[in-house]
Amino acid sequence: MANRDLRTERIQQERKQWRKDHPFGFYARPTKASDGSLDLHNWKAGIPGKPQTKWENATYPVTIAFPEEYPAKPPKIRFPPGFYHPNVYPSGTICLSILNEDQDWRPAISLKQLMLGIQELLDTPNPGSPAQEPAWRAFEKDKVEYEKKVRQQAKQYADKH
Amino acid sequence: MDCLGAWIAYASKAEFDSTVRYDFTSLLQFTIQVMASSSSSSPAMETLLDTLYTNPTFLKAETKLQLQSLIFGSWGSQFLSYQSEDSDQFARLTILFLEPDITSLAVKLADDSNDDKFDFLLRLTNFPGTPIVEESISNEFIDFWMQFADCFIEDDDRLSTMTKGDKLQNLHSKSRAFFIKVSQIYWSKIHIPQELEGFHDEFRIYRRDVGDLFESIFPIVKFPLYNNLIDNVLTSLNGTVSLSDIEASLYLINAIGSDFTENNIQSDALESVGKILDSDYLQLVTKQMIPNRFQHLVYTTVRFVSTIDWFYKSEKGLQYLPSMLNFLFDTMSMSAYQLISSKAISDICDNCRSSLQGLLPEFKTIIEQMVNDYTVEPLTRERVMNSYASIIQGVKDPSTQGAYLEEVVRLLGKLSFEVIETTDIINSTAASATDGTIRTVDYLTSLLSSLSSLGKGMQLPDSADEIYQPSEIEAVNQYWQQDPLKIHSQILEIINNFSMGNPGLADNLGVTEEIVHIFKSGLTETVGGPFVFNQAVIVQFIVAKFHTLQTTNTYPLLYGLYSSVIKAYHREMDVESVGRTLQIIFIDRISIIQTDPDIIQSVLNLLGTILSTRPSLLVSNIDMLEKVLAFGIDQLRSSERFVLRSLEYFWTKLIYLRRGNREDTVVVRRLFNETKLGYLATFNVLKYLLVTQRSNLEFFTEILKGLVAKYPMLVKGWLTESFREINEERERRGEKRIGGYDVFVKKMMISRGSRAGNEVVKDFWLEVNGLIDY
């Protein structure tokens, strides 16, 4: 019970902080049940590709699930299944050290830092932590093919209007 | 003021770090006075802003009252009338002042004596000027109003406690009326201004945030909010048409409607949407389209058509599908809308395939345009093709399906053949390739991916029994067996044309990927179909590819395809043909394979697939099995994570042999019991486990656990003998011997291959490598 309260309180705090100060082009908000009530523990968010990269002109959707042990444990952030990136598992789960409780996750890490960290990861994949074969293989061996696929994906999530 | 600002920052930190408390009341009251009396109030206002941002508890009750009377008094009103930086600062001050106690503010709405305060906030929100370009106050207030709305949804219990009796009812009805006013302000604010140069992105985000605000308001105002917007569209259509009003309303309708589903929609919302579509709105938008110019109205209308899936899934909405699709077809002729229109078409067709058969002739025209036009985005082409196929799939009669499909397959074949014949596409991936060549290859690849989209769209959306009667299944199977229009052979001809004839395409990764998709689209089908091929045909293709490929780029894709064939058709495959295929695609190329971890990994996955579906295809061919096992042992030295994961898959499938028959089990047991296989596997697993990095430990551990679980009588000897050998090797290299391994062996034996073995292995690995588990 105590854990759950702590989680909700921290999420409320994050929400407030996010509203006050979030990076341009990003969005993050709790999902809604059919009666209009908010599900604070499950959010949807969007991460824009950095300008002047092959990820630009698109906002990539993610879901954020805050586990009961949050902030002791990190939120689970996922792109849609099949998202093309060397560090994203086929299920969409992101392989990033700040999202891993055994690695660099710290309870003090804010939602804003996580979102910016994921945005950074988009254009600077870590080939040392491959999470899916197609994108990793193309990134390592065939950059032209890799970039073509990334641009195609950007069109799928295009947000220019 | 600067000095006070510094003290505030200091005191806030000091209060946080200690029990000391500071009272700034007199200083803050003085600041408020300065702000109110000075002609230049900005520095004092900045100090108050900093205070509220840093620690709002520094403002005691009397200070708050003082500030409140200023904000809502004549001093505050002066900021409403002229535009200046001070007004922005004032709006921020107002928001920061009200935010900490926003629930109390919500309660005040019930009391009519506070109406003027709320009116003031509305007027401030409705600050004159175009948002972003000329004013930023309305933008600042979006989050504030969202928080305010949340109070009525999330803090309902608190509101009930704080408000008694009739007042609560009054509060709810006033809140609905109040948010309607908020929505009216933002409705006018999001109109697209004439001049937006340099602010496009910011304005787009502003509109998106307003959309979020409407989503937040919707649970309070409910459907009247939606219906107001619809009415606004209808009024605009009936009176003097204001396209920008319509666009703004539709934009917000889209924002609110994104959360609607067919289960939570109310009938009056269905009626309302029906009214829009009954009017000549879609024709009006079509008439407004100007070639080569992006128009928000068209874009927003396309979004509207694509987000009302709950509408066209209803009985009422079904009748409007043709007009909606025809509108989308019209927008497809303009490149600016192709991506979003194709997405809308694809969504609609996916959901309503069986109701759209009457539109197939219109689709055919669009398909021909999309396929012939070089400039169409590949994604658009694929989406439309997929939609077309999903409607064709909904036609139950196979000969009608065949007739439509034949035309499009013939067109794809004809075009791709012509382009391949007339273009020099050799070395298209080389750095020296011209832009023209790259574009041609992209176009060709897109034609092929259109074919694979056709295959994907033709997949049955449900199990065959749900879709067809038994007699219909028979008719479908018979039709595709006879294939009177030769669709199978036309598809194979296209594949052949791409993959065998032209060296520039044959080794191209993208081309092979699409061909693999084409074959895979039929593999999971349980009844005959245009993309359902005999397994021998696919295997023949794979073998032919291995004979002709100049590079190894596409090997992993072909191994993946063969794995899928095995999964789908293992029952009708025989040991000899699998052996022959493995000889060509694996054994004959083993020296090349061993040079590339990607290929090793895909081969191991293929072998693991055979062992996990029908092991006898491999186990009964003892010559082949021995070669495979030698390869499997050799690869244990790998440090590549993907290779090790596939190795774990391969070895555990072999050790446990869950799908094996009695004969398979006898063969494998004999190999482990009577040959050196058990020892060699144990020795190599141990040897490389001890030197691997921690993140790879799990793969070796699983194999070791498998050996302990399945061969408990022998594994102790294999382990002990392996440690002896490993220690001798270490001694020869001048390294320290591994001590205490007998304890490890005992612990592993006690674990019996259970999960407890993970800890045993990890602890031993840490000990041998002189590490501590933090």
Side-chain angles (χ1 to χ4, degrees), chain A residues 28-104:
Chain A
R29 54 176 179 270
T31 51
K32 230 178 260 177
S34 54
D35 63 350
S37 63
L38 292 178
D39 179 358
L40 270 181
H41 304 140
N42 291 289
W43 289 34
K44 54 183 179 180
I47 299 169
K50 274 192 178 177
Q52 273 110 49
T53 71
K54 45 203 171 298
W55 298 83
E56 69 178 345
N57 296 339
T59 302
Y60 302 94
V62 290
T63 57
I64 307 172
F66 294 94
E68 261 191 53
E69 299 86 347
Y70 176 79
K73 283 190 177 176
K76 188 153 180 113
I77 305 188
R78 280 182 181 195
F79 284 109
F83 191 83
Y84 190 78
H85 189 280
N87 304 118
V88 176
Y89 288 99
S91 64
T93 298
I94 302 162
C95 176
L96 180 65
S97 68
I98 50 170
L99 285 170
N100 187 333
E101 60 172 312
D102 294 328
Q103 294 179 23
D104 295 336

Side-chain angles (χ1 to χ4, degrees), chain A residues 54 84 138 142-155, chain B residues 377-378 428-429 437-446 508-511 513:
Chain A
K54 45 203 171 298
Y84 190 78
D142 190 345
K143 282 272 177 357
V144 177
E145 180 68 17
Y146 174 75
E147 290 181 7
K148 196 192 283 180
K149 286 259 166 63
V150 169
R151 278 195 204 99
Q152 267 172 16
Q153 183 168 256
K155 278 177 188 144
Chain B
E377 281 288 346
S428 61
T429 51
T437 311
I438 293 168
R439 265 200 305 277
T440 306
V441 172
D442 283 352
Y443 174 63
L444 279 169
T445 313
S446 169
N508 184 297
L509 202 63
V511 165
E513 210 165 51

Side-chain angles (χ1 to χ4, degrees), chain B residues 692-736:
Chain B
T692 196
Q693 60 197 54
R694 184 168 173 172
S695 55
N696 290 339
L697 207 53
E698 56 180 311
F699 307 121
F700 291 102
T701 306
E702 289 307 314
I703 305 173
L704 202 56
K705 278 160 60 184
L707 289 168
V708 173
K710 289 295 278 186
Y711 299 97
M713 307 293 279
L714 297 167
V715 77
K716 189 175 176 188
W718 296 339
L719 282 167
T720 312
E721 183 56 30
S722 298
F723 274 118
R724 245 182 245 135
E725 180 67 29
I726 289 167
N727 270 338
E728 276 176 28
E729 279 187 8
R730 288 173 79 101
E731 254 181 1
R732 279 198 293 274
R733 290 197 301 267
E735 290 170 14
K736 198 182 153 197

Side-chain angles (χ1 to χ4, degrees), chain A residues 15-17 19-20 22 24-27 29 32 34-38 44 59 130-133 136-137 141-142 145 148-149 152 155-156 158-161, chain B residues 53 96 99 143 146-147 150 153-154 201-202 204-205 208 212 215-216 219 259 264 294 299 339 377 379 383 442 509-510 513 556 596 598 601 605 640 642:
Chain A
R15 191 167 175 228
K16 203 170 170 185
Q17 201 49 44
R19 278 175 160 169
K20 269 208 180 101
H22 64 261
F24 180 75
F26 288 69
Y27 68 86
R29 54 176 179 270
K32 230 178 260 177
S34 54
D35 63 350
S37 63
L38 292 178
K44 54 183 179 180
T59 302
Q132 62 165 267
E133 288 174 52
W136 178 71
R137 187 180 292 137
K141 285 190 165 175
D142 190 345
E145 180 68 17
K148 196 192 283 180
K149 286 259 166 63
Q152 267 172 16
K155 278 177 188 144
Q156 201 180 332
D159 65 0
K160 264 295 121 178
H161 300 287
Chain B
Y53 191 79
L96 277 180
E99 249 176 7
D143 277 346
M146 278 166 91
Q147 285 187 64
D150 278 356
I153 304 161
E154 298 301 305
D201 279 352
E202 285 82 356
R204 177 174 56 82
I205 302 289
R208 192 180 75 193
D212 288 352
E215 263 193 81
S216 301
D259 281 342
N264 68 9
F294 178 83
Y299 188 86
L339 270 176
E377 281 288 346
L379 186 60
R383 279 174 176 165
D442 283 352
L509 202 63
E513 210 165 51
D596 187 328
D598 286 348
Q601 176 214 351
N605 280 343
E640 298 280 343
F642 279 130

